[in-house]
Amino acid sequence: NYNKTRFTKLDKGLIDINAIYYKDSAYDKWSNPKWRTYSKEFVRFFNTGQVLFVSCDSSPTIDKINNPNVGLPGYFIVIGTKIKVDMFQDLNGGQTGKYYGRIQPNGDIIFYEQRPETYFSSFSMLERAEGNDRFSIWRKIKVDSLKSYKPNW
């Protein structure tokens, strides 16, 4: 459980809790076109190690960004530039799953779209996997009127 003291005390310095991360685009070498643009998902991180993935009908509004009652909850840890998320997923009637990524020098995050469980939840196996070329880019966007709250999960 990522909500334990050993995880909440870990360094989260590379994650900006005063910003949202907006899913900008995704790459898949097998699709046509290779790059697809997105504008309907964002993620918000909290200093407690909690994370919230939110889908929108259009670009995110401040009301949606500050709403604690929407989205899929999870927990995250940062190890160097790696980010590991354990989150609820709308699969099989609801289950937990992992989502791994790398924090980029400019603050954006690249998330790998392959399921880490396929690679025994090993970050290095996921990155080294042949054909590992499905990823999404989540751009960091500062939000001035971001409301601070403690998630209730």
Side-chain angles (χ1 to χ4, degrees), residues 100-120:
Y100 288 177
R102 278 235 184 244
I103 303 166
Q104 302 303 296
N106 66 355
D108 294 347
I109 300 173
I110 290 179
F111 276 114
Y112 300 106
E113 295 301 324
Q114 293 90 333
R115 293 184 57 82
E117 295 88 345
T118 306
Y119 302 97
F120 308 103

Side-chain angles (χ1 to χ4, degrees), residues 9-147:
K9 299 285 186 213
L10 290 176
D11 177 29
K12 296 172 186 68
L14 293 179
I15 293 295
D16 190 343
I17 61 168
N18 297 310
I20 63 168
Y21 292 79
Y22 186 69
K23 188 174 185 180
D24 177 69
S25 55
Y27 178 80
D28 183 352
K29 83 171 190 177
W30 303 109
S31 69
N32 190 10
K34 305 276 184 242
W35 283 97
R36 295 178 189 252
T37 56
Y38 291 86
S39 60
K40 298 182 180 176
E41 286 182 74
F42 70 90
V43 62
R44 183 169 174 188
F45 295 94
F46 300 89
N47 64 356
T48 55
Q50 294 162 289
V51 61
L52 191 60
F53 285 84
V54 181
S55 294
C56 305
D57 295 331
S58 60
S59 295
T61 63
I62 195 63
D63 291 335
K64 190 88 158 194
I65 292 169
N66 286 327
N67 187 344
N69 301 313
V70 298
L72 296 174
Y75 298 94
F76 75 98
I77 57 174
V78 174
I79 304 162
T81 60
K82 299 177 195 173
I83 182 165
K84 294 182 176 184
V85 176
D86 196 356
M87 63 188 282
F88 179 79
Q89 296 176 328
D90 284 333
L91 298 171
N92 302 321
Q95 67 184 37
T96 58
K98 299 185 182 323
Y99 200 35
Y100 288 177
R102 278 235 184 244
I103 303 166
Q104 302 303 296
N106 66 355
D108 294 347
I109 300 173
I110 290 179
F111 276 114
Y112 300 106
E113 295 301 324
Q114 293 90 333
R115 293 184 57 82
E117 295 88 345
T118 306
Y119 302 97
F120 308 103
S121 296
S122 165
F123 202 99
S124 60
M125 284 180 71
L126 175 66
E127 285 193 317
R128 287 194 321 254
E130 186 164 336
N132 183 2
D133 43 22
R134 287 182 31 216
F135 58 88
S136 56
I137 298 172
W138 298 67
R139 304 258 181 235
K140 181 172 84 169
I141 299 173
K142 285 290 218 184
V143 179
D144 292 332
S145 49
L146 197 65
K147 186 172 103 182

